[in-house]
Amino acid sequence: MIGEPAMQHLVNIHFFSKELWHQLKERAAMLYFVFSNQAIVVLVAHNLQEGEMVAQVPYFPPIQSVADFPVSKCIDILRKAAGLPRMQVDIKTVETWSMSAQVAAKFQDKRVFLAGDAAHRFPPAGAFGMNTGIQDAHNLAWKLAAVLSGTASTQLLDSYQAERRPVAQANTDLSVANWHEAVKVPRVLGLDPRAANLLNAVVGSGPMSLLPSGFSKAALDFGLSAGLSVSGLRGPLKAWRQRQLADIFASGQTLRLQFPKEDLGFVYSEGAAVCPEPSDSHNSLASHSPHLDGSGTDGTAVNTEGKALRPGRSSVGGSDRQYRPGCAPGGRMPHCMLQPMKTDGSFASGMISTLDLVSATPWRMLLLLRMGQQSQAWAQAASTLAQELHCPIRVVIILDKSQLADSLQACHMSGMEAMRDMSGRWPQLSGVGDTGAVLVRPDGHVAWRCKVAAADQVVMGLRAALQTCLCKYVFVCTP
């Protein structure tokens, strides 16, 4: 693993306290940060109504261990954090963990693949850990299925590391940056984690490490207590600290919990199982139609070195936080509400999302069309190539809301499913004209986009896109 193995060490105290819930129910939240001269605790609410929470408390190995946190001490810490000296507490477990910022050097070694926490470990500042791990599994699962079924070359598996490791590294960097933003508040209050870590390093190293362990613990406890005693909003630094805190909160540069642009807007680029778009000369429709989005996404492209390609990931405290969905190759297919058409030409009463069209069981590619001159050509090409390449393809035509069902009898005859765009946003989201198409992978990422095509370009373009995505042959996708 590459990176910092232990940015901070913490004790997790899992407990129940109905009394604490009664104190907090008017201020219900997911996280409570306590920085006082009595205790430093982050409370994570699991079930507030039941009073179930986990308290995260810093500790300092090797001088300290979980043995230094018996139930009696844990109860004392929780009472001080809550400001309730007689609060009833039921301690369930007391365990330790280390906050890491690491990414594996390789995500694959022959037939072994790493995913989730085995491949990357982040500070819990932004909730990237589970999201990134699920994305790993989603990315790898369809590729394994394609290779094991004989549809794709084994080279497709090489794209797993090329696609996922840069995302993991970017999320690691952002989690670390977000954590540093979060600790600005305790630093202003005189509770800088770096000072506590330095004290622990001094007490636990050099000549002092030769002294009895009891002396080292006493020295550490004394130093930590002394630091707490001069912290908080009191004394000669009170006014200065209040001004600093006001500036931090006003700027918004503190812990962020939502990252839609980073969670959804990344784009697989170099080394990815993605076919580039046809050149601009073949996509002139985008430049002449103002309602089409020429770029298709405002995601963050990352290359195999983990560096941003287009456009760059914003800073934690920056103002560019908006996720702008689109269908650029490598990006995540956006959500759009659709109304399915029945076989009798009428429309169903319920709605589905474009995201519901992606199929994992059985796995298959998804080809999204708009109603136009080349719809039949695309459908026929998909049918032909599905047999030629042994690659299942689901073909869905997305209609403008104004288009009538009785004009679409040919859809079902051609093996197409028809959906009606109820929001009117699909032309802009997809960035394709009525002769174009979007090819989507089973993990929901766009494999290829052709904004406009003539009838004689359809088969060649779709074949090249599928072969490139499945790593069967090397083709340049320029119909």
Side-chain angles (χ1 to χ4, degrees):
M1 300 291 281
I2 300 173
E4 178 60 54
M7 296 174 60
Q8 192 175 35
H9 300 279
L10 298 127
V11 175
N12 266 16
I13 306 171
H14 179 206
F15 70 97
F16 285 77
S17 175
K18 285 288 189 70
E19 187 176 350
L20 182 57
W21 155 243
H22 288 303
Q23 293 292 321
L24 296 175
K25 62 183 179 181
E26 300 301 325
R27 297 178 295 164
M30 183 179 72
L31 296 173
Y32 298 87
F33 294 86
V34 180
F35 302 119
S36 73
N37 59 354
Q38 296 293 312
I40 302 174
V41 177
V42 177
L43 292 171
V44 184
H46 284 206
N47 187 336
L48 271 178
Q49 293 185 343
E50 295 297 323
E52 181 184 7
M53 306 186 81
V54 169
Q56 298 180 350
V57 182
Y59 86 108
F60 301 91
I63 297 174
Q64 291 181 331
S65 70
V66 70
D68 295 300
F69 292 83
V71 170
S72 59
K73 182 172 181 178
C74 291
I75 291 175
D76 182 59
I77 291 172
L78 294 174
R79 287 173 172 173
K80 289 178 177 177
L84 301 172
R86 295 179 177 81
M87 181 177 71
Q88 295 298 309
V89 180
D90 180 14
I91 304 290
K92 295 300 183 182
T93 60
V94 180
E95 298 179 345
T96 61
W97 65 284
S98 297
M99 182 188 298
S100 305
Q102 296 178 302
V103 179
K106 296 193 300 182
F107 279 26
Q108 176 191 3
D109 187 358
K110 298 179 181 178
R111 294 169 59 88
V112 177
F113 297 86
L114 300 182
D117 287 353
H120 41 74
R121 300 164 191 162
F122 313 142
F128 288 105
M130 184 175 70
N131 287 333
T132 310
I134 292 173
Q135 291 165 359
D136 292 342
H138 206 182
N139 184 289
L140 182 59
W142 80 269
K143 295 174 180 178
L144 286 171
V147 170
L148 292 174
S149 66
T151 298
S153 162
T154 56
Q155 291 180 330
L156 176 61
L157 299 177
D158 295 337
S159 69
Y160 170 65
Q161 173 170 306
E163 291 182 352
R164 293 305 304 162
R165 192 180 185 282
V167 174
Q169 186 62 62
N171 287 347
T172 300
D173 296 342
L174 188 58
S175 296
V176 171
N178 200 34
W179 183 77
H180 284 299
E181 295 290 333
V183 298
K184 284 182 177 180
V185 170
R187 284 174 181 165
V188 168
L189 292 171
L191 299 169
D192 193 334
R194 294 173 299 185
N197 289 333
L198 178 60
L199 172 65
N200 182 49
V202 171
V203 172
S205 63
M208 296 193 70
S209 64
L210 303 176
L211 299 174
S213 60
F215 181 86
S216 298
K217 284 187 177 181
L220 179 63
D221 290 342
F222 176 81
L224 294 175
S225 298
L228 286 174
S229 67
V230 297
S231 67
L233 296 176
R234 56 183 180 164
L237 295 177
K238 177 180 178 179
W240 178 84
R241 287 173 173 170
Q242 286 178 324
R243 289 194 300 270
Q244 293 296 309
L245 290 175
D247 290 342
I248 290 173
F249 296 139
S251 67
Q253 293 187 353
T254 183
L255 181 66
R256 282 180 57 196
L257 297 178
Q258 293 185 338
F259 291 84
K261 182 176 179 180
E262 290 78 8
D263 283 331
L264 303 175
F266 59 88
V267 178
Y268 296 140
S269 184
E270 293 182 11
V274 172
C275 187
E277 290 183 285
S279 62
D280 290 340
S281 61
H282 294 284
N283 278 301
S284 58
L285 181 61
S287 62
H288 293 293
S289 299
H291 69 283
L292 294 180
D293 177 7
S295 64
T297 188
D298 188 34
T300 302
V302 286
N303 63 17
T304 50
E305 283 75 44
K307 298 177 181 178
L309 292 179
R310 59 174 175 93
R313 184 175 293 243
S314 63
S315 64
V316 173
S319 59
D320 184 15
R321 299 178 179 179
Q322 185 177 1
Y323 164 56
R324 299 177 180 87
C327 285
R332 188 174 185 269
M333 178 180 63
H335 157 75
C336 185
M337 290 303 299
L338 304 175
Q339 186 178 29
M341 188 182 83
K342 300 178 182 179
T343 54
D344 62 3
S346 64
F347 285 98
S349 58
M351 302 281 199
I352 66 171
S353 168
T354 47
L355 304 179
D356 298 323
L357 301 177
V358 177
S359 176
T361 52
W363 83 270
R364 55 185 172 177
M365 293 291 188
L366 172 66
L367 186 65
L368 299 176
L369 312 176
R370 293 184 62 199
M371 189 63 184
Q373 295 178 348
Q374 310 308 339
S375 301
Q376 294 292 330
W378 283 113
Q380 183 58 48
S383 177
T384 300
L385 294 171
Q387 297 182 39
E388 177 185 317
L389 301 176
H390 306 290
C391 176
I393 305 173
R394 181 182 186 181
V395 182
V396 176
I397 185 167
I398 298 179
L399 316 171
D400 295 341
K401 191 174 181 179
S402 60
Q403 289 173 316
L404 300 177
D406 57 11
S407 65
L408 302 172
Q409 296 179 355
C411 289
H412 292 292
M413 295 175 60
S414 303
M416 289 186 283
E417 300 174 61
M419 308 276 173
R420 185 159 61 181
D421 173 15
M422 299 306 294
S423 66
R425 299 177 62 230
W426 184 247
Q428 181 179 2
L429 288 171
S430 66
V432 303
D434 57 11
T435 61
V438 177
L439 182 67
V440 184
R441 308 185 328 185
D443 62 355
H445 281 259
V446 176
W448 179 63
R449 176 174 65 175
C450 181
K451 295 177 183 177
V452 58
D456 59 353
Q457 300 171 333
V458 168
V459 174
M460 181 177 64
L462 185 57
R463 178 186 285 113
L466 288 166
Q467 289 174 327
T468 301
C469 184
L470 298 172
C471 297
K472 280 197 161 185
Y473 306 100
V474 178
F475 274 81
V476 178
C477 304
T478 54

